[in-house]
Amino acid sequence: MSRFPHCLSLNPPPLLQLIWFLAPHVELASQQAKVIEAQIPSVQTRLLTGSDGVEYWSKQCIWDTVLNGIRIVVSTHQVLLDALIHGFVQMARLSLMVFDEAHHCIADHPASRILRDFYHPCLAANNGQAPAILGLTASPVVNNKAGKLEQLESNLQAISRTPRLSREELLHHVNKPTLVRLAYPSELHDTPRSQLLLDLHQLRSSLDIEQDPFVKKLMSGPEPYDPVQLRKLKLSRKTYCQEQLKNLSTRAEIIQLELGPWAADWYIKACIRKFQQVASHDTIGLRMLDDREKVYLYECLTGLLPSIPEDDELTDDAPLSSKFLCLAEYLLSQLGMQFTGLLFVRTRAEVAVLAQLLSLHPKTKALLTVGTFVGVSSTASRKANIGDLIDIRGQIHTLDDLRFGRKNLVIATSALEEGIDVTACNTVICFEKPPNLISVIQRRGRARKSESKFVIMLADDADPSVITTWEKLEQEMQRQYMDDMRQLQGLEALEETDEGYREFVVEQTGAKLLLADAASHLYHFCATLTTGPLSNRAPVFSVKSVGKNLFTTTVILPISVDASVREASSSAWKTEKAAKRDAAFEAYIQLYRAGLVSDNLLPVEAYDELVVEIQTEVAKVASLVEIAGQLNPWHLVARDWQARTNRENLSTTHCFDVSLLCNDEAVAAVQMILPCNLPVLPTIPLYWDARTMFRSIISPRSASASQSTHPHVAAQSTALLLRSVFRYRMNVEATDFVAFFLPGESENPLQWTQQYVGTIKSEELKPLDVSTLPLNRLGMARSMSQGGLAHVVRGFQIGSLEVPAMERQSTERDEAGFYLQVSKFPKRTDFLHKVSEQDEQTPAKHYTTLLKAEDCEIDKLPIGYAYFAAIVPCVMHRVGCSLIGAHLCNTLLAPASIENLELVLTAITTSAAQEPTNYQRQEFLGDSVLKFLTSLTLTSDHLRWPEGHLSRAKDHIVSNASLAKAALAIGLDKFIITKPFTGSKWRPLYVADQLGKPTGQPRLLSTKTLADVVEALIGAAFLDGGFRKAIELTKIFLRKPTWSMVEDKNEILHTTHQASESSIICPHHFVQLEELVGYNFTLKSLALEALTDSSYMGPNVTTSYERLEFLGDTCLDIIVATTSFNHEPPIKTHGLHLIRSAVVNADFLAFLSLTLCVSVPRATITTGNRKNDVSVSQALVPLHLWNFMRHASPTVRHAQQGVIERYESLETSISESLQRGSHIPWALLARLGAPKFLSDIIESVVGAIYIDSHGSLTACEAFLERLGVMGYLRRLLDGGVALYHPKEELGQLADTETVRYEVFREEGEEKRFGCVVRVGESEVAKVGDGLCAMEVETRAAEEAVRLLKGERGDAARKRKFE
């Protein structure tokens, strides 16, 4: 069945045409329908059986409604035959008919009639145009009659093919069972009889036929009856009630004969009790009975009740048949750890009774777990049979229970012989002699395990001819087996024959490919492909016979390999082995010529210059490396001063206005003179103290009169300004300042310097009217008794007063003095960082102090200039940082042409520098940009590379090691700002000093920080000029791959897929896929590729979804990253990472993949009690994204089924948490246990939309909006949802203690996990009943967090009350 979906993909049926799958009985049809629905979930499949009431569908409109939107129909042969006979279905409407167990297509079987009466006439009438036919059978000849094979081939218009190719491999893996004749003693004539059976016979003989409800109905009905027919009816006694009692007694007789009196008694009692139980209910079978028939049977059977004992206990001495006891003893002898058995019986009644006997018998009840399997009724109009004990609903899971070891014996009728998928057993028992050869073959085929046994039970006094027949059959089986073994030995000898010699030599290296080594090379190449964990990465060899004793082989590589080199064929060889080698040889040469194999004949990933470490883990370097000291920007300024030719004035310099403001009022205005230009600088916030903030604004001037000032005067002016605050830190002899400070434009520098140089005695102010004296024109007051300690004059006090103790400078009282009211001038020089009131030295500094005027001197330089002098170190630091950034932009980063210097400055500033901004947020963005550009470039440059090559190449390119190495190689390290500004040791800067200091001392820096700075610069370029500038900047650091504009790469990908569009046929149902994703594909092949799993081996495909998923992953990442980065207010860096991790999380995406669906109509048919009582209604059924996946992997199918079951139980809880919860539902998502392919197809669809839309991230975002990704992203960005994963949060609560998770398997039949979490040595939490290790670890972490928070909250409350 794994090949059947390929038919639909290769030749998708037209809109109204159907594929009709036919099976000989309902059980097989039901099984095949389930398989088809699982394999091709994207199209609607309908199972039609007699139980659906098909015989009542007597109008064309009913059939049209039922088949509307259906692509595949599965039914028994009779259903299709009846539909064809009555014209409800036309042969022309079918595109393909699949006959399972096709050996039935002979004689007058319904399968043969379909072909004979409808297919062949259609073929003749339409010039050979008719549905395609696929016949499947393991045994086309079921008896020895001549001509049957020819008739079968003629009916099917086909040629029968047997598995001659690869026969030696088949024989190696097929285990022939040992034939065992199990003889049991014949029953003696005096064997006890069942009393209940005797009573039942007596009851039947005593019934008056004229009291039968059907006879009475005929005699009393309104219509006249035929006396002759009535007489015949009385003689035959063939009414429903009489037949039911007869069948019950007949079956009981068989039970007594085969199993003994106790079994017959139990069977009759069970049938009566079951009828009594259901007679009062409107069950499906009894619904067809007349009420009088129910009452009549009820009264008849109730008459047996007094003779029925209530006790059903089965003891060792119970009267059971010797045949059953022989069976029980044999089963006991075979029971072992790995026992799995099938027991075939003739009737449904025997199935029920044997199951009961083996479950109750003292010797077997503890050792056998028994299941049952019988045929299903094929008609809805069938009346209830009171002798039928098997509940069909109970056998739904029987075969799965046997497969997974929950049951070790299944008792079945012949319904389990044909077609049904049954796990291999080691014991198959025929309770009665098989009826024909086909039964022997099919039952024997169930015993496929090694050393299995095929057992046939026969009485010890059986007819000798019967024994002879089975002995001959056993001898024939042994002869065939020996012939097979001799043939196998001959084939093995032939395979060892050395056939020829081929070699391929690479001239450049001398590497040689030999015929004998080609297959191992090819397997190694395929092993390097990192397809999904559920996919097979081995090449597939297909052998074909061409002429007598010659073979050719075609090898098909995994679908992740480019289609142009995926297949290779051999020439003709005498053996399969040689043909396979030759095919592998040709395939490997193709890979070499396509560039997927290197000149050393190894997978290119190991030797390509671009990905030199692609096979191994990304290179590890030391976590800390020594880098250059930080660039000294004032060294560059000093060199500019040194290079000036005109030393007489400052005419060739650059002038800048520097303003100092407090509450938008000017404090001071100064001109700064530099030999070089400055970039535009933002306003500098300055934190004078906890209550006062200044702002400094630096703006360039086109020209200034001060630029004609002689440098000597500029030096005097600068020295005067700086000496006001830093007099003890200055070199009094040096005048070569790196930056000159002159008074504002309105002042003459020379006059200004002469006016404000020096000090005055405070007493000189006493004669003046100090109440009108402008304080801002005064300079700083310096207390001589305190060593010239600087103060700010706040006012004056004259006269006798009491000085508060805290403000008094001496113990004496001045009776009539002159005092200065002052506050201390701060000693700190770092005004770039905020200071809190708690950090200030003493609260008293905000209050004034009284100083004796006679003890003080006051600077002539106004206090505003002193304020400015104090903030000069801060201004110089900010100017220096800007100079570093500007120099970087003008040198290393010049090709990128970044205009916004602040972005670059942010990118090169580490958090250790304690600047207002650092690289971390931009690194978050740049990381996504780099990964996107790398993925896009690799995907477009290497169109034949599988996803594994692409992923490892990308990981190498964007690794911290690669980026750190690139940063060091071009000298970025000296530009990185790491040292925090404190100002504590700041000294005025002089040209002579700075000329000898190009950089600081070498530093240690982590390789991660180096890589982060590179990514932050890429983020800066992206913010400044989009992908264009980001690419230009990336080129600076990374030489390979070949970087070019995004638009060019998009066009390459679109053109490449467009070229393959004509070879792909898009199935019609993919229209619903476009409706589902909300996007109409121009290139339909992209939609098909996006949902093709790597396990798919059919036609109509370019490659699997892995390459698109590789590209779509980074498209998703860049969309989430840019949206998060641009959110207002800005999200902190750690929050950005947490949000991105939550939104691109595979479990979250998988849940959305399971949720996204469209509704498609599907007809529902309800059949009533009467003929033609049929109602048709339309229901909408969901079609999910995963339904469109194309795969050929049972593992994928089982994973889909398992996650759907879990999704249905968790969907409400997860959805509620995502919509309104205060936490991300990590544990619930982990319990969902979604396989990776569910999130992969989300990313592959994003990749497909990106290529199809010529690179529109907006189109991709629209799909993500429809999916629910963007909505949840906005919810996380808006806040109110705890972002931490429980394990991360527990790690923070544990602080320095170690957190350990101990996962264990719980006892029980089902696979369940538990987990204990320990913090330090203490067990904090324990959880169980988990479906996977990740779930229980997450839940344990959640519980531990809850408990620890509760304990710490209790402790805090206790401390509060103590």
Side-chain angles (χ1 to χ4, degrees):
M1 284 305 301
S2 63
R3 293 286 180 180
F4 175 65
H6 307 165
C7 301
L8 186 66
S9 299
L10 179 61
N11 296 307
L15 179 58
L16 297 176
Q17 286 197 300
L18 301 167
I19 292 175
W20 207 294
F21 193 104
L22 297 154
H25 52 80
V26 175
E27 296 85 359
L28 183 54
S30 300
Q31 175 184 279
Q32 302 293 40
K34 291 178 182 177
V35 173
I36 292 171
E37 287 176 342
Q39 290 281 1
I40 321 176
S42 58
V43 300
Q44 290 199 60
T45 301
R46 186 181 283 281
L47 172 66
L48 298 181
T49 66
S51 60
D52 295 314
V54 178
E55 68 269 29
Y56 294 152
W57 299 356
S58 56
K59 296 179 180 179
Q60 184 67 50
C61 62
I62 297 177
W63 282 90
D64 291 342
T65 304
V66 169
L67 299 179
N68 181 40
I70 302 298
R71 314 301 294 165
I72 305 172
V73 180
V74 183
S75 77
T76 57
H77 303 100
Q78 191 65 52
V79 170
L80 177 58
L81 178 60
D82 291 342
L84 291 168
I85 288 173
H86 296 291
F88 295 130
V89 174
Q90 303 295 324
M91 188 61 65
R93 189 174 178 184
L94 308 182
S95 64
L96 171 67
M97 288 191 296
V98 182
F99 289 86
D100 201 6
E101 304 298 334
H103 52 265
H104 290 291
C105 298
I106 57 174
D108 285 329
H109 191 278
S112 179
R113 292 188 58 192
I114 292 171
L115 296 167
R116 183 189 66 202
D117 300 339
F118 295 94
Y119 172 74
H120 286 284
C122 177
L123 198 65
N126 295 286
N127 298 319
Q129 296 296 317
I133 290 180
L134 174 63
L136 307 171
T137 181
S139 48
V141 180
V142 297
N143 54 46
N144 295 326
K145 293 182 180 180
K148 293 298 183 182
L149 178 58
E150 290 76 8
Q151 181 185 352
L152 181 63
E153 291 179 330
S154 175
N155 287 348
L156 288 169
Q157 287 285 107
I159 298 174
S160 177
R161 295 294 188 192
T162 56
R164 291 186 295 115
L165 303 179
S166 304
R167 184 170 176 80
E168 77 283 2
E169 184 178 358
L170 178 66
L171 293 173
H172 272 303
H173 292 88
V174 173
N175 300 298
K176 295 292 184 69
T178 301
L179 178 62
V180 176
R181 290 178 296 139
L182 183 60
Y184 59 89
S186 300
E187 298 293 340
L188 301 177
H189 294 293
D190 58 351
T191 301
R193 300 277 292 171
S194 164
Q195 183 59 47
L196 268 179
L197 180 57
L198 295 175
D199 293 343
L200 182 58
H201 287 318
Q202 178 63 35
L203 172 66
R204 286 184 57 224
S205 63
S206 65
L207 291 176
D208 183 358
I209 189 61
E210 293 191 358
Q211 298 303 312
D212 187 281
F214 185 68
V215 175
K216 293 174 70 174
K217 181 179 179 181
L218 288 179
M219 295 176 64
S220 61
E223 298 293 334
Y225 59 88
D226 185 351
V228 176
Q229 294 296 329
L230 181 60
R231 187 163 50 253
K232 289 181 179 181
L233 180 62
K234 290 180 179 180
L235 291 174
S236 66
R237 304 177 72 89
K238 289 187 176 180
T239 66
Y240 171 76
C241 293
Q242 301 301 321
E243 287 294 310
Q244 286 296 299
L245 294 172
K246 177 183 176 181
N247 290 340
L248 179 61
S249 61
T250 301
R251 295 182 182 187
E253 284 282 3
I254 296 173
I255 297 295
Q256 178 173 258
L257 177 64
E258 298 290 343
L259 301 173
W262 190 95
D265 281 347
W266 181 88
Y267 173 68
I268 295 172
K269 287 188 289 185
C271 291
I272 293 175
R273 288 168 179 166
K274 180 180 179 182
F275 182 81
Q276 290 174 328
Q277 182 180 359
V278 302
S280 59
H281 297 84
D282 191 24
T283 60
I284 294 176
L286 293 181
R287 194 183 302 159
M288 309 302 296
L289 296 182
D290 185 280
D291 287 341
R292 287 169 291 186
E293 290 176 323
K294 291 182 186 179
V295 172
Y296 181 80
L297 282 175
Y298 186 90
E299 291 176 349
C300 289
L301 295 174
T302 303
L304 296 174
L305 287 177
S307 61
I308 298 179
E310 293 296 330
D311 187 13
D312 286 337
E313 183 180 358
L314 180 59
T315 60
D316 286 332
D317 57 353
L320 297 171
S321 69
S322 58
K323 186 174 184 179
F324 170 78
L325 295 175
C326 179
L327 170 68
E329 291 296 333
Y330 182 78
L331 289 172
L332 290 173
S333 70
Q334 299 301 307
L335 286 175
M337 292 294 293
Q338 301 297 325
F339 173 79
T340 52
L342 286 178
L343 176 59
F344 284 100
V345 298
R346 186 168 56 247
T347 66
R348 298 159 68 96
E350 289 176 273
V351 171
V353 178
L354 259 175
Q356 187 69 11
L357 288 178
L358 293 172
S359 299
L360 294 177
H361 197 280
K363 292 183 179 180
T364 59
K365 64 181 181 180
L367 300 174
L368 291 174
T369 52
V370 183
T372 61
F373 193 94
V374 299
V376 180
S377 171
S378 60
T379 174
S381 61
R382 180 177 176 180
K383 291 185 178 181
N385 190 323
I386 63 174
D388 196 351
L389 292 177
I390 297 294
D391 183 0
I392 301 300
R393 294 169 299 180
Q395 70 181 35
I396 295 176
H397 302 293
T398 294
L399 299 183
D400 282 340
D401 290 342
L402 182 67
R403 180 176 293 108
F404 297 113
R406 293 188 288 268
K407 288 184 170 54
N408 57 10
L409 178 66
V410 171
I411 306 173
T413 61
S414 59
L416 206 56
E417 288 179 357
E418 190 173 54
I420 302 294
D421 182 23
V422 182
T423 189
C425 299
N426 51 28
T427 303
V428 175
I429 303 174
C430 299
F431 196 65
E432 294 95 3
K433 179 173 70 71
N436 50 46
L437 177 61
I438 189 64
S439 290
V440 173
I441 295 173
Q442 291 177 330
R443 293 181 183 185
R444 185 186 64 188
R446 301 303 191 187
R448 301 191 299 275
K449 284 190 175 181
S450 178
E451 300 181 358
S452 58
K453 296 177 181 179
F454 179 53
V455 182
I456 299 175
M457 298 189 69
L458 296 170
D460 55 7
D461 62 351
D463 188 342
S465 62
V466 175
I467 298 175
T468 303
T469 301
W470 292 117
E471 286 177 343
K472 289 181 179 179
L473 176 61
E474 182 178 7
Q475 292 170 1
E476 178 65 16
M477 292 170 59
Q478 291 175 348
R479 184 189 66 78
Q480 292 178 4
Y481 177 71
M482 293 305 297
D483 287 347
D484 288 340
M485 290 302 296
R486 283 192 292 272
Q487 183 180 0
L488 176 58
Q489 291 170 1
L491 289 169
E492 288 176 341
L494 183 61
E495 291 292 347
E496 294 303 319
T497 303
D498 187 11
E499 286 193 64
Y501 178 84
R502 291 188 69 186
E503 69 173 29
F504 174 80
V505 180
V506 180
E507 294 183 5
Q508 294 88 328
T509 62
K512 183 183 295 185
L513 176 68
L514 300 176
L515 194 65
D517 300 328
S520 61
H521 279 56
L522 194 61
Y523 275 96
H524 172 64
F525 172 82
C526 292
T528 64
L529 305 173
T530 55
T531 52
L534 304 180
S535 303
N536 181 17
R537 290 182 282 174
V540 176
F541 292 89
S542 176
V543 184
K544 182 179 180 181
S545 178
V546 288
K548 187 176 181 179
N549 298 325
L550 288 176
F551 300 92
T552 61
T553 294
T554 298
V555 62
I556 304 175
L557 304 186
I559 200 172
S560 54
V561 177
D562 186 73
S564 63
V565 292
R566 193 179 301 145
E567 290 189 19
S569 298
S570 72
S571 54
W573 295 79
K574 292 181 181 179
T575 64
E576 295 181 26
K577 185 176 181 180
K580 288 180 180 178
R581 287 179 173 179
D582 192 41
F585 189 88
E586 293 293 335
Y588 210 73
I589 292 175
Q590 281 188 177
L591 294 173
Y592 171 75
R593 289 171 177 163
L596 296 175
V597 171
S598 72
D599 287 340
N600 298 91
L601 294 180
L602 287 170
V604 70
E605 56 185 9
Y607 289 93
D608 188 276
E609 182 180 1
L610 169 65
V611 283
V612 69
E613 294 137 11
I614 205 166
Q615 268 287 61
T616 59
E617 189 178 354
V618 174
K620 287 185 171 64
V621 296
S623 58
L624 288 176
V625 293
E626 184 177 278
I627 66 171
Q630 185 172 307
L631 177 68
N632 178 11
W634 301 109
H635 170 76
L636 302 176
V637 176
R639 286 172 52 189
D640 286 345
W641 281 120
Q642 188 182 42
R644 288 184 69 251
T645 57
N646 185 359
R647 300 176 182 273
E648 298 302 318
N649 58 55
L650 304 177
S651 59
T652 59
T653 60
H654 297 265
C655 181
F656 303 89
D657 283 333
V658 184
S659 303
L660 182 64
L661 300 95
C662 180
N663 298 326
D664 294 330
E665 294 184 4
V667 176
V670 175
Q671 296 180 76
M672 181 171 63
I673 307 296
L674 291 171
C676 57
N677 200 5
L678 286 180
V680 177
L681 295 175
T683 299
I684 303 174
L686 300 162
Y687 305 96
W688 189 257
D689 54 39
R691 300 178 180 181
T692 309
M693 189 180 83
F694 292 162
R695 290 186 300 122
S696 178
I697 301 175
I698 303 175
S699 55
R701 279 180 141 326
S702 58
S704 172
S706 299
Q707 289 176 277
S708 61
T709 303
H710 193 281
H712 179 69
V713 176
Q716 289 180 331
S717 172
T718 304
L720 173 62
L721 185 72
L722 295 179
R723 196 180 297 115
S724 65
V725 176
F726 302 105
R727 63 176 58 190
Y728 301 115
R729 300 186 184 184
M730 297 182 65
N731 183 347
V732 295
E733 297 179 356
T735 60
D736 56 337
F737 296 100
V738 295
F740 291 121
F741 293 98
L742 305 177
E745 181 69 17
S746 61
E747 303 280 358
N748 180 284
L750 180 59
Q751 296 176 354
W752 181 83
T753 303
Q754 293 172 347
Q755 178 182 355
Y756 292 122
V757 67
T759 62
I760 61 172
K761 291 289 186 179
S762 299
E763 290 183 333
E764 296 178 14
L765 301 175
K766 188 173 182 180
L768 303 177
D769 184 1
V770 293
S771 63
T772 60
L773 190 66
L775 298 178
N776 62 348
R777 300 300 299 172
L778 297 178
M780 285 196 294
R782 302 181 185 275
S783 173
M784 297 298 101
S785 62
Q786 299 180 38
L789 185 64
H791 295 79
V792 180
V793 178
R794 302 295 184 184
F796 301 94
Q797 295 284 348
I798 298 175
S800 177
L801 68 159
E802 184 71 27
V803 181
M806 65 175 291
E807 299 176 359
R808 190 181 306 151
Q809 300 299 312
S810 67
T811 56
E812 299 179 2
R813 183 183 177 200
D814 190 349
E815 297 296 334
F818 177 36
Y819 299 91
L820 302 183
Q821 192 174 15
V822 298
S823 63
K824 290 182 180 179
F825 194 87
K827 294 182 179 180
R828 57 188 289 264
T829 52
D830 176 14
F831 301 104
L832 292 176
H833 300 101
K834 290 182 179 180
V835 59
S836 64
E837 292 189 14
Q838 291 80 2
D839 293 333
E840 292 187 295
Q841 295 176 359
T842 170
K845 68 191 307 177
H846 295 300
Y847 299 94
T848 58
T849 299
L850 295 180
L851 298 178
K852 289 182 178 179
E854 63 187 30
D855 185 45
C856 296
E857 292 183 348
I858 298 178
D859 290 347
K860 292 182 178 180
L861 185 69
I863 189 62
Y865 290 109
Y867 282 135
F868 182 86
I871 60 97
V872 163
C874 301
V875 171
M876 296 285 280
H877 173 74
R878 284 294 165 81
V879 170
C881 289
S882 296
L883 288 171
I884 293 175
H887 188 58
L888 176 61
C889 288
N890 296 330
T891 53
L892 295 184
L893 305 187
S897 302
I898 299 178
E899 298 176 2
N900 190 333
L901 175 65
E902 285 302 306
L903 293 174
V904 174
L905 197 55
T906 296
I908 61 175
T909 303
T910 67
S911 57
Q914 300 180 18
E915 293 295 307
T917 61
N918 60 57
Y919 68 74
Q920 291 178 343
R921 272 177 48 85
Q922 285 182 198
E923 178 273 329
F924 168 82
L925 180 63
D927 172 73
S928 294
V929 173
L930 176 60
K931 288 177 179 176
F932 172 75
L933 294 176
T934 303
S935 297
L936 179 62
T937 300
L938 290 172
T939 306
S940 60
D941 286 357
H942 302 281
L943 298 171
R944 289 178 171 176
W945 273 20
E947 178 272 335
H949 289 47
L950 296 173
S951 291
R952 285 188 288 268
K954 184 194 78 171
D955 291 344
H956 172 72
I957 293 168
V958 306
S959 69
N960 286 344
S962 295
L963 297 178
K965 182 178 179 181
L968 292 172
I970 69 170
L972 176 67
D973 48 334
K974 66 182 179 183
F975 293 96
I976 299 176
I977 300 172
T978 58
K979 186 176 181 180
F981 173 76
T982 62
S984 59
K985 296 182 180 181
W986 188 85
R987 299 288 187 275
L989 306 179
Y990 304 99
V991 170
D993 295 338
Q994 300 305 312
L995 285 173
K997 301 176 181 178
T999 61
Q1001 294 297 317
R1003 300 167 288 173
L1004 288 178
L1005 196 67
S1006 71
T1007 52
K1008 182 181 184 308
T1009 301
L1010 283 167
D1012 287 349
V1013 170
V1014 173
E1015 291 175 333
L1017 286 170
I1018 294 172
F1022 177 75
L1023 292 171
D1024 192 66
F1027 287 123
R1028 180 181 61 81
K1029 287 192 177 181
I1031 288 174
E1032 293 300 328
L1033 190 135
T1034 304
K1035 288 180 183 179
I1036 297 170
F1037 292 96
L1038 301 172
R1039 184 169 57 89
K1040 286 192 174 182
T1042 305
W1043 306 98
S1044 61
M1045 292 298 102
V1046 168
E1047 294 77 11
D1048 298 336
K1049 301 299 184 183
N1050 294 338
E1051 192 59 31
I1052 291 173
L1053 291 173
H1054 191 275
T1055 303
T1056 301
H1057 283 83
Q1058 191 174 36
S1060 62
E1061 181 73 6
S1062 59
S1063 64
I1064 299 299
I1065 304 173
C1066 188
H1068 174 77
H1069 61 270
F1070 266 59
V1071 173
Q1072 294 167 333
L1073 171 65
E1074 293 179 325
E1075 179 185 353
L1076 181 68
V1077 301
Y1079 179 84
N1080 293 324
F1081 285 90
T1082 304
L1083 304 178
K1084 305 297 183 183
S1085 60
L1086 280 167
L1088 206 61
E1089 181 181 324
L1091 293 159
T1092 300
D1093 183 69
S1094 56
S1095 65
Y1096 183 75
M1097 295 295 290
N1100 197 32
V1101 67
T1102 52
T1103 186
S1104 55
Y1105 63 66
E1106 277 86 0
R1107 279 177 58 91
L1108 290 177
E1109 179 265 329
F1110 170 78
L1111 178 61
D1113 172 68
T1114 53
C1115 291
L1116 170 63
D1117 193 79
I1118 191 72
I1119 290 171
V1120 172
T1122 52
T1123 303
S1124 304
F1125 185 88
N1126 294 326
H1127 184 267
E1128 292 294 339
I1131 306 294
K1132 291 183 179 180
T1133 307
H1134 189 55
L1136 290 174
H1137 285 284
L1138 291 174
I1139 289 171
R1140 179 171 62 181
S1141 297
V1143 173
V1144 303
N1145 174 268
D1147 289 333
F1148 171 67
L1149 293 177
F1151 176 78
L1152 297 183
S1153 176
L1154 293 168
T1155 304
L1156 182 67
C1157 67
V1158 292
S1159 297
V1160 295
R1162 183 182 177 95
T1164 302
I1165 309 298
T1166 305
T1167 304
N1169 296 339
R1170 302 173 183 175
K1171 188 176 182 180
N1172 297 328
D1173 186 7
V1174 177
S1175 61
V1176 181
S1177 60
Q1178 289 284 355
L1180 293 176
V1181 295
L1183 191 61
H1184 297 82
L1185 184 62
W1186 64 268
N1187 290 125
F1188 290 89
M1189 273 189 69
R1190 299 195 303 171
H1191 65 87
S1193 168
T1195 309
V1196 171
R1197 181 172 70 253
H1198 292 150
Q1200 287 177 336
Q1201 293 169 345
V1203 75
I1204 288 302
E1205 292 178 2
R1206 297 190 293 274
Y1207 170 80
E1208 290 174 350
S1209 64
L1210 297 171
E1211 187 272 334
T1212 301
S1213 300
I1214 295 177
S1215 295
E1216 177 67 24
S1217 181
L1218 292 177
Q1219 293 170 13
R1220 286 175 282 276
S1222 59
H1223 291 73
I1224 298 171
W1226 296 111
L1228 290 173
L1229 290 171
R1231 187 173 182 83
L1232 183 64
K1236 183 177 180 294
F1237 60 74
L1238 286 175
S1239 59
D1240 285 348
I1241 60 175
I1242 293 291
E1243 294 169 342
S1244 65
V1245 169
V1246 172
I1249 292 174
Y1250 179 82
I1251 295 175
D1252 188 73
S1253 62
H1254 296 272
S1256 172
L1257 289 174
T1258 302
C1260 298
E1261 185 174 341
F1263 166 63
L1264 296 175
E1265 184 70 56
R1266 182 179 180 85
L1267 185 66
V1269 172
M1270 304 309 294
Y1272 193 60
L1273 173 60
R1274 286 190 294 271
R1275 183 163 188 259
L1276 296 182
L1277 291 172
D1278 291 341
V1281 179
L1283 300 174
Y1284 281 104
H1285 190 281
K1287 296 177 74 171
E1288 185 177 5
E1289 189 172 6
L1290 179 58
Q1292 292 180 343
L1293 290 172
D1295 198 12
T1296 59
E1297 293 189 282
T1298 302
V1299 179
R1300 289 183 294 124
Y1301 296 90
E1302 299 174 1
V1303 179
F1304 56 89
R1305 286 283 301 273
E1306 294 183 330
E1307 296 182 358
E1309 293 185 3
E1310 296 187 355
K1311 186 178 180 181
R1312 289 290 188 267
F1313 293 89
C1315 179
V1316 172
V1317 60
R1318 300 181 186 277
V1319 177
E1321 297 301 320
S1322 302
E1323 178 181 317
V1324 179
K1326 181 178 181 179
V1327 298
D1329 191 34
L1331 298 179
C1332 63
M1334 179 57 69
E1335 178 205 345
V1336 290
E1337 287 183 2
T1338 306
R1339 286 171 47 210
E1342 280 185 345
E1343 180 65 12
V1345 168
R1346 185 185 67 81
L1347 292 173
L1348 289 178
K1349 284 185 175 180
E1351 289 177 0
R1352 295 179 183 183
D1354 292 342
R1357 284 189 291 272
K1358 183 178 180 181
R1359 287 194 300 271
K1360 179 179 178 180
F1361 288 108
E1362 284 179 345

